[in-house]
Amino acid sequence: MKKTVLGRTGLEVSVAGLGAGGHSRLGIAQYGLQHSAMIVKTAFENGVTYFDTATAYGTEEAVGLGLKGIPREQYVLSTKFPYRNEQGINTPDRVEQVLGESLRALHTDYIDIYNLHGVAPEDYEKTVDMLLPAMQKAQKQGKVRFLGITELFGSDTNHTMLKRALPDDFFDVIMLGYSIINPSAAKTIMPLATEKNVGLQCMFAVRKALSNPEQLKTDIKRILEKNQADPSLMASHGTLDFLVNEGAAGSIMEAAYRFCSNAPGIHITLTGTGNVGHLIDNLKAIQMPALPEDILKQLDVMFGNVDCVSGQ
């Protein structure tokens, strides 16, 4: 497995990270805890050293079980605090309580990256004011090594929250949505993150739109309605079929992972699945070389102005 250093954290990590969220959530709802733990262990056995989960996913126990018995220094753990509840933004005392629950579920004394989870743009300032001191306290206590924040990319497709967070420079690691059909972060987020040496985790490399033709059609329709692409260009290229037809990649999903994992500034490309075969294929794709330059130029012409879809 290829390795990289996660920005200013100095942590050496695999370029492919196992994500325990998304649609699959390690297959836990369909196949159960033991199966999900097996996916985690299989990922480690195939070189993955970065594991991302969250309280809200319900997969912390599976990640903890899958990594049980493996020396702690051999892997890096990322989990997330749900900053909102039904009444609004959580109180600082909940950080300590929920973090304790995460530590127990993950069978560890510390979390490497502790993130505020899916922060909406309108909540950013108040969330940081209320919760960041509690996270910093946990950091001083040794329960957390580095702090992170993740965006709500399903609705915040143009990265409004991260545009505010990066200049504040409170967070060592960020998680952003980035994909073939919405590469806007390359212009708005990634250059500043690289300048500040912030660790970059890529999510949404492959979501429903890049594995389901009907969802892709829906997203293309939205892109065209927003006048963010040329209709004749989209029609003439069969949208993404040309990636395979012209021999650039073995599948659209392979191309999608290669597009993200080789993008300047991205350290970790996350993949999540409950299927061992898919996991192995995805790990191989993430480690493959960049797409050909002419293909990247064509994708930029087609999707370079898009910031209105997530692929979800």
Side-chain angles (χ1 to χ4, degrees):
M1 173 67 70
K2 292 181 180 179
K3 299 288 182 64
T4 190
V5 175
L6 186 60
R8 67 197 193 197
T9 70
L11 297 172
E12 185 180 63
V13 293
S14 54
V15 297
L18 184 68
H23 176 71
S24 69
R25 302 199 177 187
L26 303 177
I28 195 165
Q30 186 174 3
Y31 302 113
L33 177 64
Q34 294 296 328
H35 174 90
S36 298
M38 178 272 294
I39 294 288
V40 173
K41 186 176 181 181
T42 301
F44 180 82
E45 291 170 345
N46 282 272
V48 173
T49 62
Y50 191 89
F51 298 85
D52 176 74
T53 182
T55 296
Y57 297 159
T59 52
E60 287 181 324
E61 186 181 2
V63 172
L65 183 60
L67 295 172
K68 196 171 183 179
I70 298 169
R72 181 64 179 85
E73 67 276 8
Q74 293 185 17
Y75 58 87
V76 173
L77 278 177
S78 164
T79 193
K80 311 182 191 76
F81 174 73
Y83 80 96
R84 284 193 69 91
N85 57 35
E86 293 178 357
Q87 287 73 45
I89 294 172
N90 264 312
T91 55
D93 62 300
R94 284 286 292 161
V95 174
E96 182 176 4
Q97 180 183 345
V98 173
L99 174 58
E101 293 167 358
S102 294
L103 291 169
R104 288 188 288 275
L106 289 163
H107 303 291
T108 184
D109 296 326
Y110 65 92
I111 305 297
D112 296 288
I113 316 293
Y114 199 50
N115 305 270
L116 289 171
H117 191 181
V119 179
E122 63 271 19
D123 290 336
Y124 171 73
E125 282 80 8
K126 187 175 181 181
T127 298
V128 167
D129 287 346
M130 289 183 63
L131 301 180
L132 184 61
M135 295 175 73
Q136 291 171 330
K137 178 181 176 182
Q139 193 175 26
K140 290 176 182 176
Q141 293 171 336
K143 297 177 182 179
V144 171
R145 297 179 71 188
F146 302 99
L147 303 182
I149 191 168
T150 78
E151 66 180 356
L152 196 65
F153 188 58
S155 56
D156 185 13
T157 58
N158 63 355
H159 316 288
T160 300
M161 186 279 291
L162 287 177
K163 289 173 187 174
R164 297 177 188 171
L166 271 173
D168 286 344
D169 209 19
F170 296 135
F171 302 100
D172 305 300
V173 181
I174 63 174
M175 185 183 292
L176 54 79
Y178 179 74
S179 73
I180 283 177
I181 62 171
N182 182 349
S184 58
K187 297 177 181 177
T188 59
I189 301 299
M190 288 151 64
L192 182 56
T194 299
E195 180 184 318
K196 292 180 174 294
N197 199 20
V198 169
L200 281 184
Q201 305 176 74
C202 172
M203 60 176 172
F204 282 74
V206 175
R207 284 293 171 105
K208 193 175 180 181
L210 297 180
S211 61
N212 183 308
E214 291 306 311
Q215 182 62 46
L216 182 58
K217 288 179 184 177
T218 299
D219 281 353
I220 296 300
K221 181 181 178 183
R222 178 171 175 78
I223 289 168
L224 296 178
E225 287 173 348
K226 294 285 186 179
N227 296 314
Q228 294 188 349
D230 181 341
S232 62
L233 191 64
M234 297 296 226
S236 65
H237 275 77
T239 315
L240 294 177
D241 293 340
F242 75 97
L243 293 167
V244 177
N245 295 340
E246 296 181 18
S251 68
I252 290 174
M253 285 187 287
E254 177 203 298
Y257 280 120
R258 290 169 63 187
F259 179 84
C260 294
S261 64
N262 290 285
I266 287 179
H267 298 105
I268 298 167
T269 301
L270 293 165
T271 181
T273 179
N275 181 292
V276 170
H278 292 167
L279 172 65
I280 302 303
D281 288 344
N282 296 347
L283 297 183
K284 288 178 180 177
I286 289 170
Q287 297 178 83
M288 291 176 72
L291 295 169
E293 192 62 32
D294 61 321
I295 295 294
L296 290 174
K297 288 179 180 178
Q298 184 59 52
L299 288 170
D300 185 58
V301 170
M302 294 173 71
F303 297 100
N305 294 317
V306 175
D307 69 358
C308 65
V309 296
S310 68
Q312 185 74 293

